[in-house]
Amino acid sequence: MHKKLFIPGPVDVAPDVLEQMKKPMIGHRFQECFDLFESCVKNLKRLMFTKNEIIISTSSSTGLMEAAILNCVKKKCLNFSCGAFGERWHQITKNCGKEAKKVEVEPGEAITPEIVEEELSKDDYDAITLTHNETSTGVTNPIYEIAEVLKNYDNVCFLVDAVSSMGGIKLEIDKLGVDVCVFGTQKALALPPGLAICSVSEKAIKKAETIENRGWYFDFLNLLKYARKFQTPATPAISLMYALDYQLKKILDKEGLENRYERHKKLGEIAREWAKKNFELLPKEEYASNTVTCVKNTRNINLKDLKEKLAERGYAFATGYGKVKETTFRIGHMGERTLEELKEYLNTIDEILGF
Ligand SMILES: *Cc1c(COP(=O)(O)O)cnc(C)c1O
């Protein structure tokens, strides 16, 4: 039996989207593949509200997080962390041999523009990293306010992980002045895992030109040289590109972006109401995410038991992650999830726990 995924990625993929992956294979140096690539890029720019260049990478999102560091950090990077994925970018920065300063807040708290301003004013950095939507704690950082601070730091590249928000929460790349925005296919876009996407600004390209060891697979300059011809240096996951192209058209032209954000907002509200009624939210409500809700296990429920009982009823349940692994659980509500499906899921939990 397939378990409906209420985890924060990967998420369920609609059958018609999966169907796209059965298309016959084509060569990646043929016009038909260039057309597919071009169509994906055109719609990705609409999704991201950007005129910046786009890279489609056959990797998970983490690959492009690493790419952003390799290409935009010459010496020193400031890593803001409010959970496990902020921490991941810090580890990547250090492992790439760069100087990395981590600024961390407690689980459930957000990175505020005040924190960013204070830290940026202390030293010279090539870049900052920010997790827009921290999937481990269910926090959406106030990126519009943070972007205002960045506008006073012309030489600093703004690197953003939008892995669990892009396509579910509005994020306007050009308005925000984000230099590299990274996300993957398996979260709010509701596609199978395997492709990562990022936008690259002129500033990021200029920075990359000053850096010598950018690797090969994730070298922005080489990737962009090919992307301008609607190609990739190495063989891309063509089947996933078929699904991406189809799903982007569905999102943009069938549901509509604003409707999609609104649906996610309602999903978030339903999950938060339920969490507050029965438990407690980990984040302050003003920063609580509309794609994933992190709930404090204030009743000391046996989560392993709950996970098993939900599995028997056809649901995949998400435990905690990172520092709050033992004390929280999460409700993933992104992608194609409907309000009805979420309510049914929460009712099932109520039934199991006898609420
Ligand atoms: C899932 C996730 C990642 C990691 O993505 P992969 O595609 O598994 O590499 C990074 N950041 C955030 C915020 C995520 O939710």
Side-chain angles (χ1 to χ4, degrees), residues 8-10 59-65 84-86 88-89 130-136 139 161-165 182-187 193-196 291-292 321 330 334:
S59 66
S60 88
S61 318
T62 307
L64 284 184
M65 288 164 72
F85 291 105
R88 181 177 295 185
W89 229 348
L130 179 75
T131 315
H132 175 227
N133 191 72
E134 177 49 74
T135 316
S136 64
V139 166
D161 165 350
V163 178
S164 60
S165 50
V182 177
F183 58 98
T185 41
Q186 79 276 25
K187 306 258 169 112
L195 286 180
T291 57
V292 53
Y321 189 77
R330 294 170 301 161
M334 61 182 96

Coordinates of all heavy atoms in Angstrom, one line a residue, residues 8-10 59-65 84-86 88-89 130-136 139 161-165 182-187 193-196 291-292 321 330 334, ligand 1:
P8 N 7.8 16.4 5.1 CA 8.2 17.6 4.4 C 9.2 17.3 3.3 O 10.3 17.8 3.2 CB 8.8 18.5 5.5 CG 9.3 17.6 6.5 CD 8.5 16.3 6.5
G9 N 8.9 16.4 2.4 CA 9.7 16.1 1.2 C 10.4 14.7 1.4 O 11.0 14.5 2.4
P10 N 10.4 13.9 0.3 CA 9.7 14.1 -0.9 C 8.2 14.1 -0.6 O 7.7 13.5 0.4 CB 10.1 13.0 -1.8 CG 10.7 12.0 -1.0 CD 11.2 12.6 0.3
S59 N 21.1 16.9 -9.6 CA 21.6 16.6 -8.2 C 20.5 16.9 -7.3 O 19.5 17.4 -7.7 CB 22.8 17.6 -7.9 OG 22.4 18.9 -7.9
S60 N 20.7 16.7 -6.0 CA 19.7 17.1 -5.1 C 20.0 18.6 -4.8 O 21.1 19.1 -5.2 CB 19.7 16.3 -3.8 OG 20.6 16.7 -2.9
S61 N 19.2 19.3 -4.0 CA 19.4 20.7 -3.8 C 20.7 21.0 -3.1 O 21.4 22.0 -3.3 CB 18.3 21.2 -2.9 OG 17.1 20.7 -3.3
T62 N 21.1 20.1 -2.2 CA 22.4 20.2 -1.5 C 23.6 20.5 -2.5 O 24.5 21.2 -2.2 CB 22.6 19.0 -0.6 OG1 21.5 18.8 0.2 CG2 23.8 19.2 0.3
G63 N 23.5 19.9 -3.6 CA 24.6 20.0 -4.6 C 24.7 21.5 -5.0 O 25.8 22.1 -5.1
L64 N 23.6 22.2 -5.2 CA 23.6 23.6 -5.6 C 23.9 24.5 -4.4 O 24.4 25.6 -4.6 CB 22.3 24.0 -6.4 CG 22.2 23.5 -7.8 CD1 21.0 24.1 -8.5 CD2 23.5 23.9 -8.6
M65 N 23.6 24.0 -3.2 CA 24.1 24.8 -2.0 C 25.6 24.8 -2.0 O 26.2 25.9 -1.8 CB 23.5 24.2 -0.8 CG 22.0 24.3 -0.5 SD 21.4 23.2 0.7 CE 22.0 23.9 2.2
A84 N 18.6 22.7 11.2 CA 19.5 21.7 10.6 C 20.0 22.1 9.2 O 21.1 21.8 8.8 CB 18.8 20.4 10.5
F85 N 19.1 22.8 8.4 CA 19.6 23.1 7.1 C 20.5 24.3 7.0 O 21.3 24.5 6.1 CB 18.4 23.2 6.1 CG 17.7 21.8 5.9 CD1 16.5 21.5 6.5 CD2 18.4 20.9 5.2 CE1 16.0 20.2 6.4 CE2 17.9 19.6 5.0 CZ 16.7 19.3 5.6
G86 N 20.3 25.2 8.0 CA 21.3 26.3 8.1 C 22.6 25.8 8.5 O 23.7 26.2 8.0
R88 N 23.7 22.8 7.8 CA 24.2 22.1 6.7 C 25.0 23.1 5.8 O 26.1 22.7 5.4 CB 23.1 21.4 5.8 CG 23.7 20.7 4.7 CD 22.7 19.9 3.8 NE 22.1 18.9 4.6 CZ 21.2 18.0 4.1 NH1 20.9 18.0 2.8 NH2 20.6 17.0 4.8
W89 N 24.5 24.3 5.6 CA 25.2 25.2 4.7 C 26.5 25.7 5.4 O 27.5 25.9 4.7 CB 24.3 26.4 4.3 CG 24.4 26.7 2.9 CD1 25.3 26.1 2.0 CD2 23.5 27.5 2.1 NE1 25.0 26.6 0.7 CE2 23.9 27.4 0.7 CE3 22.4 28.4 2.4 CZ2 23.3 28.2 -0.3 CZ3 21.8 29.1 1.4 CH2 22.2 29.0 0.1
L130 N 21.3 32.1 3.8 CA 20.1 32.1 4.6 C 19.1 31.0 4.1 O 18.9 30.8 2.9 CB 19.4 33.5 4.4 CG 18.1 33.7 5.1 CD1 18.3 33.9 6.6 CD2 17.3 34.8 4.5
T131 N 18.6 30.3 5.1 CA 17.6 29.3 4.8 C 16.2 30.0 4.8 O 15.8 30.5 5.9 CB 17.6 28.2 5.9 OG1 18.9 27.8 6.1 CG2 16.8 27.0 5.4
H132 N 15.6 30.1 3.7 CA 14.3 30.9 3.7 C 13.3 30.2 4.6 O 12.7 30.8 5.5 CB 13.7 31.0 2.3 CG 12.4 31.7 2.3 ND1 11.3 31.2 1.6 CD2 11.9 32.8 2.9 CE1 10.3 32.0 1.8 NE2 10.6 32.9 2.6
N133 N 13.1 28.9 4.4 CA 12.1 28.1 5.1 C 12.8 26.9 5.8 O 13.2 26.0 5.1 CB 11.0 27.6 4.2 CG 9.8 27.0 4.9 OD1 9.0 27.8 5.5 ND2 9.7 25.7 4.8
E134 N 13.1 27.0 7.1 CA 13.9 26.0 7.8 C 12.9 24.8 8.1 O 12.1 24.8 9.0 CB 14.5 26.6 9.1 CG 15.2 25.7 10.0 CD 16.3 24.8 9.3 OE1 17.4 25.3 8.9 OE2 16.0 23.6 9.1
T135 N 13.1 23.7 7.3 CA 12.3 22.6 7.4 C 12.3 21.8 8.7 O 11.4 21.1 9.0 CB 12.6 21.7 6.2 OG1 12.8 22.5 5.0 CG2 11.5 20.7 5.9
S136 N 13.4 21.9 9.4 CA 13.6 21.2 10.7 C 12.7 21.8 11.8 O 12.3 21.1 12.7 CB 15.0 21.1 11.1 OG 15.6 22.3 11.4
V139 N 10.2 27.1 10.5 CA 10.3 28.6 10.6 C 10.5 29.2 9.2 O 11.4 28.7 8.4 CB 11.5 29.0 11.5 CG1 11.9 30.5 11.3 CG2 11.2 28.7 13.0
D161 N 18.6 29.5 0.4 CA 18.0 28.1 0.3 C 16.5 28.3 0.4 O 15.9 28.6 1.4 CB 18.6 27.3 1.5 CG 17.8 26.0 1.7 OD1 16.8 25.7 1.1 OD2 18.3 25.2 2.5
A162 N 15.9 28.0 -0.8 CA 14.4 28.1 -0.8 C 13.8 26.7 -1.1 O 12.8 26.6 -1.8 CB 13.9 29.1 -1.9
V163 N 14.5 25.7 -0.6 CA 14.2 24.3 -1.0 C 12.8 23.9 -0.6 O 12.1 23.4 -1.4 CB 15.2 23.3 -0.4 CG1 14.9 21.9 -0.8 CG2 16.6 23.6 -0.9
S164 N 12.4 24.3 0.6 CA 11.0 23.9 1.0 C 10.0 25.0 0.9 O 8.9 24.9 1.5 CB 11.1 23.3 2.4 OG 11.6 24.2 3.3
S165 N 10.3 26.1 0.2 CA 9.3 27.1 0.1 C 9.0 27.5 -1.4 O 7.8 27.8 -1.7 CB 9.8 28.4 0.8 OG 11.1 28.7 0.4
V182 N 18.4 28.7 -4.4 CA 18.5 27.3 -4.7 C 17.2 26.5 -4.2 O 16.7 26.8 -3.1 CB 19.7 26.7 -3.9 CG1 19.7 25.1 -4.1 CG2 21.0 27.3 -4.2
F183 N 16.7 25.6 -5.0 CA 15.7 24.7 -4.6 C 15.7 23.4 -5.4 O 16.4 23.3 -6.4 CB 14.3 25.4 -4.6 CG 13.9 25.9 -6.0 CD1 13.0 25.1 -6.8 CD2 14.3 27.1 -6.5 CE1 12.7 25.6 -8.1 CE2 14.0 27.6 -7.7 CZ 13.2 26.8 -8.5
G184 N 14.9 22.5 -4.9 CA 14.8 21.2 -5.6 C 13.4 20.9 -6.1 O 12.5 21.7 -5.9
T185 N 13.3 19.7 -6.7 CA 12.0 19.4 -7.3 C 11.0 18.7 -6.3 O 9.8 18.7 -6.6 CB 12.2 18.5 -8.5 OG1 13.2 17.6 -8.2 CG2 12.6 19.4 -9.7
Q186 N 11.6 18.1 -5.3 CA 10.7 17.2 -4.5 C 10.0 17.8 -3.3 O 9.4 17.1 -2.5 CB 11.6 16.0 -4.0 CG 12.5 16.3 -2.7 CD 13.8 17.0 -3.0 OE1 13.9 17.7 -4.0 NE2 14.8 16.9 -2.2
K187 N 10.0 19.1 -3.2 CA 9.2 19.7 -2.1 C 8.0 20.4 -2.6 O 7.1 19.7 -3.1 CB 10.2 20.6 -1.3 CG 11.5 19.9 -0.9 CD 11.5 19.5 0.6 CE 12.7 18.6 0.9 NZ 13.7 19.2 1.7
P193 N 12.3 13.6 -6.6 CA 13.6 14.2 -6.3 C 14.5 13.9 -7.5 O 14.3 13.0 -8.3 CB 14.0 13.4 -5.1 CG 13.2 12.2 -5.0 CD 11.9 12.5 -5.7
G194 N 15.6 14.7 -7.6 CA 16.6 14.4 -8.6 C 17.1 15.6 -9.4 O 18.2 15.6 -9.9
L195 N 16.3 16.7 -9.4 CA 16.8 17.9 -10.1 C 16.9 19.0 -9.0 O 16.0 19.1 -8.1 CB 15.8 18.4 -11.2 CG 15.8 17.6 -12.5 CD1 14.7 18.3 -13.4 CD2 17.1 17.5 -13.2
A196 N 17.9 19.9 -9.2 CA 18.0 21.1 -8.4 C 18.1 22.3 -9.4 O 18.5 22.1 -10.5 CB 19.2 21.1 -7.5
T291 N 4.4 25.6 4.7 CA 4.6 24.4 4.0 C 4.9 23.2 5.0 O 4.7 22.1 4.6 CB 5.8 24.5 3.0 OG1 7.0 24.9 3.7 CG2 5.5 25.5 1.9
V292 N 5.4 23.6 6.2 CA 5.7 22.5 7.2 C 5.4 23.1 8.6 O 5.8 24.2 8.8 CB 7.1 22.0 7.0 CG1 8.1 23.0 7.1 CG2 7.4 20.9 8.1
Y321 N 13.5 16.6 13.4 CA 14.8 16.5 12.7 C 15.8 17.5 13.3 O 15.4 18.6 13.7 CB 14.5 16.9 11.2 CG 15.6 16.7 10.2 CD1 16.0 15.4 9.8 CD2 16.4 17.8 9.8 CE1 17.0 15.2 8.9 CE2 17.4 17.6 8.9 CZ 17.7 16.3 8.4 OH 18.8 16.1 7.6
R330 N 6.7 16.7 12.9 CA 6.3 17.7 11.8 C 5.2 17.2 10.9 O 4.9 16.0 10.8 CB 7.6 18.0 11.0 CG 8.7 18.7 11.8 CD 10.0 18.7 11.0 NE 10.4 17.4 10.6 CZ 11.3 17.1 9.7 NH1 11.8 18.1 8.9 NH2 11.7 15.9 9.4
M334 N 2.8 20.5 1.8 CA 3.2 21.2 0.6 C 3.0 20.4 -0.6 O 2.7 19.2 -0.6 CB 4.7 21.6 0.7 CG 5.6 20.5 0.8 SD 7.3 21.0 1.0 CE 7.6 20.9 2.7
Ligands
LIG1 C1 15.1 19.2 1.9 C2 15.9 20.4 2.2 C3 17.3 20.5 1.8 C4 18.0 19.4 1.2 O1 17.5 19.1 -0.1 P1 18.1 17.9 -0.9 O2 17.3 18.0 -2.2 O3 17.8 16.7 -0.1 O4 19.5 18.1 -1.1 C5 17.9 21.7 2.0 N1 17.3 22.7 2.6 C6 16.0 22.7 3.0 C7 15.4 23.9 3.7 C8 15.3 21.5 2.8 O5 14.0 21.4 3.2

